[in-house]
Amino acid sequence: MKKRASVKESMVNMPLLNPNAAGIDVGDTVHAVAVPEGRDETPVKSFGAMTCDLEAIAAWLQECGVDTVAMESTGVYWKPLFSLLIQRGFEVYLVNAKQVKNVSGRKNDEDDARWIQKLHSCGLLKSSYLPEDEQEALRTLVRHRRTLMQDRGRCVLRMQKALEVMNVKLHTLIRDITGKTGTRIIEAILRGERTPEVFLACIESNIRADRATILKSLQGNWREEQLYLLEDCYTSYQYYTGRIACCDAAIERQLQRYRSEVFMLAEPEHEMASTKKANRNKPLFNTCAYLKGVLGVDVMAIYGISDIAALEILAETGTDMGKWETAKHFVSWLNLCPNNKVSGGKLISSTVMKKKPNPASQAFRNAANAVQRSDNWLGDYFRRMKARGGNRYAIVATANKIATIYYKMVSCQQEFRPVELTAYQQKFKQAKIVYLERKLSELKKEAA
């Protein structure tokens, strides 16, 4: 008996921080719900995924005196139940699957729900970042636009493949076959034109290839099945272009609602436009003016940040930078910093986590990639980082720098004040001189 008592005394008891906590294992067709012991004869129950089942879950949780719920982020299956529980007044935690890994043993939905409930009762779970309603609507539309752009890009690749199979080398002379020249030539081909001289009227003056090369590139074997594929893909390309225009209109309406309802701002006094070179894939509305009205600062002034990148970052991060305590927390959420692992006082690993970057992180990476040849201090920083660790290392390091600038601009409402390139280079050279002098003095002391 003494031995059993000593074993019981040596057990660690976790403090109960959330006594009225429940855990839910979310699935496509079944939701397993666990409540604290003693609240019901069956503390773990399984429900369906229909709307009536979700309402039954909320009613059962209220009967059991639950006020906070934790659920695993499984696909998009959690969203209907999450919204319903929020409407019913519950505090809902959406947790990462890595945080709720079960102990070894038999695995089923009921055990997972019970494990989530235990972890949440002890306060060991942290809720994931979740946008507000207006930001969620904007994020959905911007992500849909990105999907449409990707689908349209696949149509362009298929058109290039059809032309290549017919040995029409148009895409080797024209950078973009969906431009004015390329579109006119493709439409002429689909109308039945086959003589190369006829296509010369479609060539714009900015095409650098000479007349003889253009005539040679437009000689093909004109296979019937490839002509059908070219026509079908071109029709799909036009369809996606129209859908992108409709999506841009929906995004503009959402930005207007975002600005008026959330920030109570009136229409801008003057429509400011971006000074950067226009991108043919940019939205059809004045992105710069809306971003300035919503964020309060011109984030597109940052080197490398385009219309599309700024819009994607706004949709993913919102306007409240207070959700991240510091800029370092922000870049860590973006996975743009080393994942330091320290054991025994030594640094074991410091590589960036291997996971798919979210759209905001990808936008910052694209911005970093865009400045690598630019004549400014960020471009100089990129080239120094590339010389140190390669292109991938430079992209992550420069994206970290741009994300930090973005965080400080939005959180502190400060405009972008770039550093002069010569002053930046001089400061770096001076720091390098100080470092080398210190190393030289240390070597002299060791030699003496």
Side-chain angles (χ1 to χ4, degrees), residues 128-360:
S128 301
Y129 166 74
L130 292 171
E132 303 294 337
D133 291 339
E134 294 297 334
Q135 183 192 342
E136 172 68 20
L138 179 63
R139 186 173 71 169
T140 301
L141 293 173
V142 173
R143 287 184 176 182
H144 179 60
R145 186 186 191 276
R146 187 174 185 174
T147 302
L148 291 175
M149 294 292 297
Q150 293 173 350
D151 293 339
R152 189 176 70 169
R154 294 188 186 97
C155 295
V156 176
L157 294 177
R158 294 190 184 104
M159 284 192 289
Q160 291 178 347
K161 180 181 178 181
L163 292 172
E164 182 66 34
V165 172
M166 292 187 295
N167 205 35
V168 178
K169 299 292 185 177
L170 177 65
H171 58 281
T172 61
L173 303 180
I174 302 176
R175 183 174 58 183
D176 183 13
I177 65 171
T178 59
K180 292 183 179 180
T181 299
T183 301
R184 291 174 183 174
I185 293 176
I186 291 175
E187 290 177 351
I189 292 174
L190 298 179
R191 287 196 305 265
E193 295 291 345
R194 300 292 182 265
T195 306
E197 287 76 7
V198 177
F199 297 119
L200 292 177
C202 304
I203 306 299
E204 290 286 324
S205 58
N206 59 349
I207 302 300
R208 297 181 180 180
D210 58 277
R211 183 176 182 275
T213 306
I214 294 175
L215 290 175
K216 291 179 182 179
S217 67
L218 294 173
Q219 295 175 358
N221 50 27
W222 311 115
R223 297 176 62 90
E224 290 295 331
E225 72 279 6
Q226 297 302 327
L227 289 171
Y228 167 75
L229 292 178
L230 179 64
E231 181 180 8
D232 188 68
C233 294
Y234 182 67
T235 304
S236 299
Y237 172 82
Q238 291 180 314
Y239 169 77
Y240 282 118
T241 301
R243 300 319 306 164
I244 291 171
C246 295
C247 187
D248 286 344
I251 292 175
E252 185 177 11
R253 290 193 298 269
Q254 182 58 35
L255 283 172
Q256 292 173 350
R257 192 179 301 113
Y258 200 1
R259 182 174 55 189
S260 61
E261 294 185 6
V262 179
F263 302 96
M264 302 300 177
L265 295 176
E267 293 295 325
E269 296 180 359
H270 62 281
E271 291 291 328
M272 62 176 296
S274 175
T275 58
K276 296 185 177 180
K277 184 179 179 181
N279 188 340
R280 65 184 306 270
N281 293 325
K282 68 181 292 294
L284 299 178
F285 53 88
N286 190 348
T287 313
C288 186
Y290 282 107
L291 293 175
K292 174 72 174 179
V294 172
L295 295 174
V297 291
D298 183 17
V299 294
M300 288 186 59
I302 305 174
Y303 301 132
I305 297 291
S306 62
D307 300 72
I308 300 174
L311 186 61
E312 290 182 346
I313 295 170
L314 171 63
E316 296 296 327
T317 61
T319 59
D320 184 13
M321 294 290 107
K323 296 176 180 178
W324 299 275
E325 296 180 7
T326 63
K328 292 184 178 180
H329 289 85
F330 182 61
V331 296
S332 176
W333 177 76
L334 294 168
N335 194 28
L336 294 175
C337 62
N339 181 31
N340 292 335
K341 297 180 180 179
V342 181
S343 179
K346 295 181 179 180
L347 184 64
I348 299 175
S349 175
S350 62
T351 58
V352 178
M353 293 181 63
K354 294 181 179 180
K355 63 179 183 179
K356 183 179 179 181
N358 58 41

